[in-house]
């Protein structure tokens, strides 16, 4: 147990406040009545601290007593222990073998005897356990890969002793991890309490990926990791409890080097084989797969020549490959084929995997194989389960669950359809419903192994959803009781600055995800695309070891391990706060988020409490501090943009007849180009910290190079001012200025709908928020659009487009309909598929406009007159209709019998193309905003801007 002075004051409700500018402090309390009670409690806690401190031990020398003949792996682990201690401290470490004469220094005060090694082969450890009636370490107690950390206090002339023992090699490695977490390394000494820990992991497979992301290298402009950097990243996670690592990155030589290193610590290795991927860009076009989003680097396994190529490549690869512990046969999320010959792809895929397994096991019979069903549909799942239940399939170890696998969540990446039958009762859903059902249907010999994605903070498996999910191919959307996971949105300002692969920590939500999913699995080899998700990866490994850890417990352990005990409370507070800072909160927009400053101050103050020997190379604190400085910068930039907008609106209201147009547009130009003094300070601070973290460990925030943005659509405001200046009449100018000062039209009693996720659109009765079919890309929509113009509803290939329904309209009243329309600019790889540009507008089935071309990238307004004669009994339906030529091909067309087995359920080529179009953001109708504005009784002409 450990309390700092500040911790004690916090727990008693007391805190330090500056008495005056001299820096002297007094104790303040927030409740005078409770003062005496708190003083008594403080006294008791000081006594408790004294007692617990008495148990703390201090050592300047450590004698490591190994077994008589430690193995090469034991020696590597011992070298790791010595290196980690010497990095931060000048504590002297001596090594001797059991049976050798004790060293003279072993009786010196402040010397620790460390009985270290695999328990079963270490006579000294066995003797200590026998003398102290400690049960021997076995695979039953504490369990495989388990360890014992046990301290025996000093007695007279007997030095302090400690057992650091493993059940096996990996148990010894994890014992070192626990020893380092329990130690407080000072410049001249090692301090610890008196640990007594007997522990083993809860899950068999605890793994992840490692390396630097392309975002770090290309956008954050970091240096490439050295061999030592990479090995350190691996060992940091191994010391936390990881036992498996993906090694499918880099060149063959790099992979071989990584495998040798991992095996030198007895860690397991996993590789990925994507059966129908092809590297040769010049393969025959008739082999091409119909991949879910139309990627070209995959071939169809139902084409005989392509299948033969796949099996030949498999033979070539694995006949000359290392013996991996696991191989992931990846089914989708890049891969698969949705053509008619392959349908349902799960059936084609699993039979192909069986052939591939025969080849792999011919060379590597002990390798465990698992597949993933990422982006598969229900029909594919059924086909695979039928195959597995038909007879024993000894080649397969586990069903892999990765991004897009879950049939009860609408994750970005778009699984084609969902298990709606599982939604009758929520249970612990939605995350747990599918793996629970899957485990029921799988034969008992097979396990579920997770491939959870915890590396993207937005547009990802468990990340923030930027737009509410669109309907799947069966027209289904999530049930109401699971809406909460889709209403978690990233802060719309921060998302313009930070990449998907940006530095972040999510303790609370990921803790929930872990506990919802993991009861059904044998473990997890998480998907990580870099080092920016450091906390998430570390927490996942600690929970795979001990899933009962609380959120606060795991964050505090992390903070203590990486920042020291004095700084841990403040870093814990900051990390928990960060999660709220990143989220779009309905009643707390970024400009009002006090948590931004709370986080910044907490990390800053924590830095002052980190001892110099720990701060010297602490790249991680520098990354958290960068995040704080950058978030604070963005918030200040947003505040100055909002202030400029407000100033312009007030000037227009105060003096409409004598507007100085250049002054107003000049204000916009100025604020988009200039920084306040505090913004400059924060940017320089972040840049300095980024240089330091890059020098230390090749890591830095990419946001440093992407800070200036138009967050609120000042570009639209400037454009509107220029239109008003050019207006042909005072009436038109007044209408354009009214849209600046009263955008939603409250003064003219407009019925306003702001379409898109999380917005107020009370009149929408058909359509759903547009998710672009892919992550937001900055080039898709211009920042010169207002935020309300950037979000929208859409429909896809449905016959009915986005529809608004107005009721109880005033009888005999004419109206003006104003619509905001815009279409995105698609990335080059999707652009060829996106032929849609126009839509038609109907009012109560009366055509208002046919095939209007939507402006690309930058929005505009379209206005229409709605005479009272068009309104029926106070009801008006505004319906958008897609281009009639969109997917007008023969949807009943089928492949010839010669091309397809007779018993195959055929789908049409058009349906495959439609699915690819839908999956990549295809739209039939789009609408960003709508106003229905009652007109004055006297008729006025009101032309809109086109």
């Amino acid at each position: 147990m450990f309390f700092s002075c500040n911790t004690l004051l916090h727990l008693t409700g007391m805190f330090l406040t500056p008495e005056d500018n001299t820096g002297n402090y007094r104790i303040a309390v927030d409740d005078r009545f409770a003062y005496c009670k708190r003083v008594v409690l403080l006294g008791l806690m000081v006594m408790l601290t004294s007692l617990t401190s008495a148990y703390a031990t201090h050592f300047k020398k450590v004698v490591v007593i190994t077994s008589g003949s430690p193995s090469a792996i034991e020696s590597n682990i011992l070298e790791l222990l010595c290196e980690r201690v010497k990095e931060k401290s000048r504590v002297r470490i001596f090594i001797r073998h059991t049976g050798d004469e004790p060293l003279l220094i072993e009786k010196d005060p402040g010397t620790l005897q460390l009985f270290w090694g695999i328990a079963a082969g270490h006579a000294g450890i066995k003797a200590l356990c026998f003398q102290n009636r400690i049960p021997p370490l076995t695979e039953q107690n504490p369990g495989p890969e388990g360890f014992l950390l046990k301290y025996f206090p000093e007695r007279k002339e007997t030095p302090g002793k400690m057992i650091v023992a493993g059940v096996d090699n990996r148990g010894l490695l994890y014992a070192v991890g626990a020893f380092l977490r329990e130690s407080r390394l000072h410049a001249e000494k090692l301090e610890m309490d008196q640990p007594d820990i007997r522990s083993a992991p809860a899950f068999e497979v605890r793994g992840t990926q490692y390396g630097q992301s392309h975002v770090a290298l290309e956008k954050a402009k970091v240096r490439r990791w050295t061999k030592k950097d990479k090995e350190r990243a691996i060992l940091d996670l191994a010391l936390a409890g990881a036992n498996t690592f993906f090694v499918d990155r880099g060149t063959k030589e790099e992979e071989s080097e990584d495998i040798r290193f991992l095996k030198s610590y007895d860690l397991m290795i996993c590789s990925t084989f994507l059966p129908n991927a092809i590297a040769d860009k010049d393969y025959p076009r008739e082999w091409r797969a119909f991949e879910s989003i139309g990627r070209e680097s995959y071939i169809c396994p139902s084409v005989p020549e392509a299948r033969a190529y796949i099996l030949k490549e498999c033979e070539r690869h694995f006949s000359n490959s290392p013996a991996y512990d696991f191989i992931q046969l990846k089914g989708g999320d890049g891969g698969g084929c949705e053509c008619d010959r392959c349908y349902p792809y799960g059936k084609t895929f699993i039979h192909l995997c069986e052939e591939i397994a025969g080849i792999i096991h011919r060379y590597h019979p002990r390798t465990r194989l698992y597949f993933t069903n990422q982006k598969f549909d229900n029909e594919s799942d059924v086909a695979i389960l039928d195959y597995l239940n038909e007879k024993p399939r000894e080649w397969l170890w586990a069903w892999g669950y990765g991004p897009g696998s879950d049939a009860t969540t609408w994750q970005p990446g778009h699984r084609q359809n969902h298990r709606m039958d599982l939604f009758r009762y929520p249970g612990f859903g939605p995350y747990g419903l599918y793996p629970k059902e899957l485990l029921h249907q799988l034969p008992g010999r097979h396990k579920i192994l997770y491939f959870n994605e915890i590396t993207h903070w937005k547009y990802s498996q468990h990340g923030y959803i930027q737009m509410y999910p669109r309907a799947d191919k069966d027209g289904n959307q999530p049930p109401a009781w699971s809406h909460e996971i889709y209403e978690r949105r990233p802060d719309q300002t921060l998302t313009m600055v930070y990449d998907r692969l940006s530095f972040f920590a999510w303790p609370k939500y990921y803790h929930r995800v872990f506990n919802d999913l993991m009861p059904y699995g044998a473990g997890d080899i998480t998907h990580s695309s870099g080092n920016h998700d450091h906390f998430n990866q570390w927490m996942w490994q600690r929970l795979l070891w001990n899933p009962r850890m609380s959120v606060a417990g795991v964050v505090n352990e992390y903070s203590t391990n990486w920042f020291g005990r004095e700084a841990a409370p403040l870093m814990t507070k900051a990390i928990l706060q960060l999660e709220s800072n990143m989220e779009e909160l309905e009643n707390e927009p970024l400009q009002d988020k006090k948590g931004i400053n709370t986080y910044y101050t907490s990390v800053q103050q924590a830095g002052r409490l980190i001892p110099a020997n720990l701060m010297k190379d602490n790249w991680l604190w520098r990354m958290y501090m960068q995040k704080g400085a950058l978030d604070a910068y963005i918030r200040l930039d947003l505040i100055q943009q909002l202030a400029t907008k407000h100033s312009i609106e007030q000037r227009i209201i105060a003096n409409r007849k004598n507007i100085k147009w250049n002054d107003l547009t000049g204000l916009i130009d100025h604020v988009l180009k200039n920084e306040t003094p505090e913004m400059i300070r924060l940017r320089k601070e972040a840049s300095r910290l980024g240089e330091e973290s890059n020098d230390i460990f090749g890591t830095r925030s990419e946001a440093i190079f992407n800070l200036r943005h138009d967050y609120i659509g000042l570009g639209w405001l400037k454009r509107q001012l220029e239109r008003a200046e050019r207006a042909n009449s005072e009436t038109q100018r007044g209408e354009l200025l009214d849209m600046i000062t009263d955008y939603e039209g409250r003064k003219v009693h407009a019925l306003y709908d702001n379409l898109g996720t999380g917005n107020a659109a009370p009149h929408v009765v058909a359509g759903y928020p547009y998710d672009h079919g892919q992550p937001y890309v900055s080039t898709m929509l211009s920042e010169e659009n207002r935020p309300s113009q950037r979000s929208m509803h859409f429909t896809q290939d449905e016959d009915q487009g986005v529809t608004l329904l107005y009721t109880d309209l005033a009888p005999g009243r004419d109206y003006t309909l104003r619509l905001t329309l815009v279409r995105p600019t698609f990335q080059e790889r999707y652009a060829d598929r996106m032929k849609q540009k126009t839509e038609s507008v109907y009012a109560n089935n009366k055509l208002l406009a046919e095939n209007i071309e939507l402006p690309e990238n930058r929005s505009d307004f379209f206005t229409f007159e709605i005479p009272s004669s068009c309104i029926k009994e106070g009801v008006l339906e505004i319906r958008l209709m897609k281009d009639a030529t969109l997917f007008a091909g023969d949807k009943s067309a089928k492949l010839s019998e010669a091309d397809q087995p007779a018993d195959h359920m055929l789908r049409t080529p058009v349906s495959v193309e439609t699915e690819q179009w839908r999956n990549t953001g295809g739209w039939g109708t789009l609408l960003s905003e709508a106003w229905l504005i009652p007109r004055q009784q006297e008729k006025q002409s009101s032309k809109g801007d086109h």
Side-chain angles (χ1 to χ4, degrees), residues 285-444:
R285 291 293 88 188
E286 59 269 21
W287 293 11
R288 182 171 61 90
F290 283 85
E291 195 267 344
S292 63
I293 60 173
R295 284 176 275 207
E296 295 285 320
S297 53
Y298 301 97
I299 56 178
C300 173
S302 295
V303 175
E305 295 82 2
R307 191 182 192 90
Y309 172 88
I310 291 168
L311 297 175
K312 183 178 178 182
E313 279 297 294
C314 177
E315 180 90 31
R316 182 192 63 79
H317 179 76
F318 289 105
S319 65
N320 192 34
S321 78
Y324 300 102
D325 296 280
F326 302 94
I327 292 175
Q328 179 196 76
L329 301 174
K330 196 169 184 179
D333 195 13
C337 181
E338 303 198 2
C339 80
D340 300 304
R341 291 181 178 88
C342 287
Y343 187 80
Y345 184 68
K347 181 177 180 179
T348 302
F349 172 75
I350 200 68
H351 283 281
L352 176 62
C353 286
E354 183 176 29
E355 292 186 69
I356 287 170
I359 295 170
I360 294 173
H361 282 152
R362 191 187 316 145
Y363 298 102
H364 310 296
R366 300 183 65 182
T367 296
R368 288 187 278 184
L369 304 180
Y370 69 104
F371 70 89
T372 65
N373 66 327
Q374 294 165 256
K375 298 186 182 178
F376 284 14
D377 55 18
N378 293 338
E379 294 78 10
S380 290
D381 284 358
V382 169
I384 294 171
L385 287 166
D386 286 346
Y387 165 85
L388 295 177
N389 282 294
E390 182 184 15
K391 64 180 183 180
R393 306 294 183 178
E394 295 182 5
W395 66 268
L396 180 68
W397 183 65
W399 182 304
Y401 171 111
S405 289
D406 189 7
T408 52
T409 57
W410 276 246
Q411 299 162 348
H414 307 310
R415 183 180 168 108
Q416 301 289 354
N417 55 13
H418 295 82
R419 286 289 303 275
M420 303 307 293
D421 58 304
L422 301 181
F423 285 116
R424 292 191 66 200
Y425 296 97
F428 289 94
Y431 292 129
L433 293 176
Y434 179 66
K436 178 183 176 182
E437 176 69 15
L438 196 58
L439 199 58
H440 283 313
Q441 295 192 35
L442 277 173

Side-chain angles (χ1 to χ4, degrees), residues 23-245:
N24 297 319
Y25 283 80
R26 61 182 173 83
I27 292 179
V29 294
D30 55 6
D31 184 351
R32 291 173 182 268
F33 179 75
Y35 178 76
C36 292
K37 179 173 66 176
R38 288 176 175 165
V39 167
V40 171
L41 178 59
L42 179 59
L44 290 171
M45 296 186 73
V46 169
M47 291 173 60
L48 177 61
T49 304
S50 299
L51 290 171
T52 56
S53 295
Y55 287 101
T57 49
H58 307 266
F59 306 102
K60 292 189 176 181
K61 301 171 189 173
V62 177
V63 178
V64 180
I65 304 167
T66 72
S67 65
S69 54
S71 69
I73 291 174
E74 288 179 88
S75 298
N76 291 335
I77 297 170
L78 178 54
E79 185 179 351
L80 170 64
L81 170 63
C82 297
E83 283 179 358
R84 290 296 173 106
V85 171
K86 291 177 180 178
E87 280 177 358
K88 307 297 181 187
S89 173
R90 287 188 288 273
V91 170
R92 298 179 69 190
I93 301 177
F94 303 86
I95 299 171
R96 74 170 172 89
H97 300 307
T98 300
D100 293 349
E101 287 294 320
L103 304 175
L104 292 176
I105 61 166
E106 291 184 40
K107 292 187 178 181
D108 291 351
T111 298
L112 173 65
Q113 286 184 332
L114 206 65
F115 289 80
W116 184 94
I118 296 174
H122 195 300
I125 291 173
K126 287 194 283 189
L128 267 177
C129 289
F130 179 78
Q131 293 164 12
N132 292 276
R133 298 183 179 181
I134 298 172
L137 273 70
T138 68
E139 286 210 349
Q140 284 72 45
N141 182 13
E145 304 179 84
F147 66 83
L148 173 66
L149 205 66
K150 172 74 175 175
Y151 179 77
F152 303 92
E154 252 182 284
R155 294 177 185 171
K156 295 184 180 180
E157 295 184 2
T158 304
K161 294 182 174 67
M162 178 177 281
I163 292 176
V164 178
V167 172
D168 47 32
N169 285 327
R170 289 200 290 271
L172 187 57
L173 178 62
Y174 305 135
V176 168
F179 176 85
L180 293 171
R181 288 192 294 275
E182 290 293 315
S183 301
R184 300 189 289 284
L185 292 170
H186 303 283
E188 301 291 341
K189 65 185 179 182
L190 181 155
E191 178 185 3
M192 66 169 57
D193 299 329
Q194 300 185 8
D196 185 358
I197 305 171
R198 191 182 187 104
S199 184
F203 289 88
E204 178 181 3
V205 183
R206 309 175 306 282
T208 189
Q209 296 169 293
Y210 58 89
Q212 292 173 289
S213 72
H214 69 280
V215 169
L217 292 167
E218 296 166 12
K219 295 185 178 181
K221 305 175 184 178
V222 300
R223 66 170 179 82
R224 288 193 176 273
W225 275 357
T226 63
K227 178 175 179 287
K228 186 177 179 181
D229 291 331
K230 181 166 58 176
E231 291 174 355
R232 183 176 193 89
I234 290 170
L235 289 174
D236 283 346
L237 289 164
L239 290 169
N243 67 358
T244 307
F245 291 85

Side-chain angles (χ1 to χ4, degrees), residues 76 210 225-232 234-235 245-269 321-322 324:
N76 291 335
Y210 58 89
W225 275 357
T226 63
K227 178 175 179 287
K228 186 177 179 181
D229 291 331
K230 181 166 58 176
E231 291 174 355
R232 183 176 193 89
I234 290 170
L235 289 174
F245 291 85
F246 272 103
V247 289
D248 55 350
R249 292 183 181 181
T251 64
K252 189 172 182 179
E253 291 75 20
E254 289 172 328
E255 182 179 319
S256 297
E257 183 180 80
D258 288 357
I259 290 171
R260 283 193 297 273
F261 175 75
L262 288 161
K263 286 302 178 183
S264 73
Y265 289 92
D266 197 27
L267 295 166
M268 293 188 287
I269 55 175
S321 78
Y324 300 102

Side-chain angles (χ1 to χ4, degrees), residues 412 456-460 462-466 485 488-491 506 578-584:
H456 296 101
W457 71 290
K458 55 183 179 178
Y459 202 91
S460 58
H462 305 303
Y464 286 130
I465 306 296
Q466 289 183 260
I485 68 174
R488 295 176 63 254
R489 302 180 68 205
D491 184 280
W506 267 6
L578 180 58
E579 197 162 359
S580 299
N581 290 352
M582 297 176 72
E583 187 169 353
E584 182 84 2

Side-chain angles (χ1 to χ4, degrees), residues 602-819:
S602 297
V603 179
Q604 185 183 59
Q605 291 175 348
R608 297 174 187 144
L609 298 176
I610 299 175
N613 63 315
L614 301 184
M615 178 59 90
K616 177 185 171 186
D617 293 326
N618 201 317
W619 63 271
L620 190 56
W621 177 85
R622 289 168 170 85
M623 288 300 295
Y624 279 105
M625 197 67 233
Q626 278 173 72
K627 177 66 174 167
L630 292 167
D631 282 358
Y633 177 102
I634 296 163
R635 178 174 176 268
L636 290 176
D637 197 3
L638 174 63
I639 288 171
Q640 73 162 353
Q641 290 187 28
L642 289 167
T644 298
K645 174 176 173 287
H646 179 72
S647 173
I648 291 171
E649 290 170 354
Q650 293 306 304
R651 292 191 191 195
I652 292 171
I653 291 170
N655 190 358
R656 280 193 174 219
K657 294 189 177 180
N658 188 25
I659 293 174
K660 296 181 179 179
W661 304 100
N662 289 338
D663 288 354
L664 298 187
T665 56
L667 287 174
I668 294 171
D669 293 337
H670 176 81
V671 77
L672 290 176
K673 293 178 182 177
N674 289 277
E675 303 167 302
T676 67
E678 180 64 2
M679 287 169 63
I680 293 171
R681 185 192 71 78
L682 289 165
R683 176 173 50 77
K684 288 182 176 180
E685 179 183 16
S687 297
R688 174 181 56 79
L689 290 164
E691 289 294 334
E692 292 173 5
S693 62
N694 183 40
D695 288 343
I696 295 168
F697 200 57
T699 185
R700 169 168 48 202
S701 175
E702 80 293 343
I704 291 170
F705 304 99
N706 188 38
L707 275 176
R708 301 316 304 273
H709 291 274
D710 180 353
Y711 297 116
I712 60 173
L714 289 175
W716 171 84
L717 179 54
K718 181 178 181 180
R719 188 159 39 114
Q720 193 76 352
L721 286 168
E722 291 168 347
R723 283 176 166 175
E725 184 182 12
R726 296 194 306 267
N728 296 324
S729 67
E730 287 301 318
T731 300
Q732 188 183 40
R733 177 174 292 119
E735 290 176 351
L736 292 168
L737 292 175
D738 282 344
M739 292 191 67
I740 295 174
T741 58
D742 179 30
Y743 187 75
E744 294 184 10
R746 291 187 177 92
K747 291 182 180 178
V748 293
H749 307 291
L751 300 175
Y752 173 68
D753 286 85
N754 181 9
L755 288 80
T757 298
N759 302 327
H763 301 101
V764 174
V765 294
Y768 25 81
Y770 185 48
D771 69 354
H772 297 175
Q774 55 190 293
Y776 272 160
V777 178
S778 59
T779 56
M780 293 186 75
L781 290 171
S782 170
E783 290 182 3
E784 293 187 8
N785 298 310
R786 290 171 58 105
S788 59
Q789 296 164 351
R790 297 173 199 155
S791 65
M792 57 201 74
H793 271 55
F794 84 130
T795 55
Q796 299 167 97
D797 56 329
E798 302 95 330
D799 291 331
Q800 180 174 353
V802 175
T803 304
L804 300 97
L805 184 66
Y806 303 92
T807 57
D808 300 323
L809 298 180
R813 175 65 66 91
D814 297 337
Y815 288 85
T816 296
L817 175 69
R818 180 194 299 144
L819 304 178

Side-chain angles (χ1 to χ4, degrees), residues 762-946:
H763 301 101
V764 174
V765 294
Y768 25 81
Y770 185 48
D771 69 354
H772 297 175
Q774 55 190 293
Y776 272 160
V777 178
S778 59
T779 56
M780 293 186 75
L781 290 171
S782 170
E783 290 182 3
E784 293 187 8
N785 298 310
R786 290 171 58 105
S788 59
Q789 296 164 351
R790 297 173 199 155
S791 65
M792 57 201 74
H793 271 55
F794 84 130
T795 55
Q796 299 167 97
D797 56 329
E798 302 95 330
D799 291 331
Q800 180 174 353
V802 175
T803 304
L804 300 97
L805 184 66
Y806 303 92
T807 57
D808 300 323
L809 298 180
R813 175 65 66 91
D814 297 337
Y815 288 85
T816 296
L817 175 69
R818 180 194 299 144
L819 304 178
T820 304
L821 301 179
V822 63
R823 59 187 170 96
T825 299
F826 286 92
Q827 291 171 272
E828 185 178 350
R829 57 180 169 157
Y830 304 129
D832 287 347
R833 193 175 294 130
M834 301 302 166
K835 307 300 183 185
Q836 67 282 0
K837 295 181 180 180
T838 67
E839 63 189 16
S840 300
V841 184
Y842 288 81
N844 280 349
N845 295 321
K846 178 182 177 182
L847 180 65
L848 295 181
E850 186 173 17
N851 292 334
I852 299 173
E853 182 168 345
L854 280 64
E856 185 177 20
N857 197 253
R858 201 168 70 168
S859 69
D860 215 334
F861 302 110
F862 294 77
T863 58
F864 310 94
E865 303 305 329
I866 310 291
S868 59
S869 59
C870 188
I871 300 169
K872 308 299 182 184
E873 298 180 352
V875 175
L876 174 64
E877 179 192 77
I878 301 297
R879 179 183 297 208
L880 304 181
M881 298 296 287
K882 64 180 173 64
D883 181 348
T885 64
L886 199 61
F887 293 105
D890 180 7
K891 293 192 177 184
S892 65
K894 301 230 181 340
L895 295 177
S896 69
E897 291 184 7
D899 291 333
Q900 187 63 50
D903 61 348
H904 197 284
M905 184 173 68
L906 296 178
R907 298 185 307 153
T908 68
V910 170
S911 70
V912 174
E913 291 172 9
T914 302
E915 285 171 14
Q916 290 180 332
W917 172 81
R918 285 162 52 93
N919 290 341
T920 51
W923 57 269
T925 63
L926 279 174
L927 179 60
S928 292
E929 298 170 293
W931 294 257
L932 189 65
I933 307 167
R935 298 188 62 196
Q936 300 294 332
Q937 291 299 325
E938 61 276 12
K939 300 291 183 182
Q940 291 185 359
S941 173
S942 178
K943 284 192 176 182
D945 300 299
H946 292 265

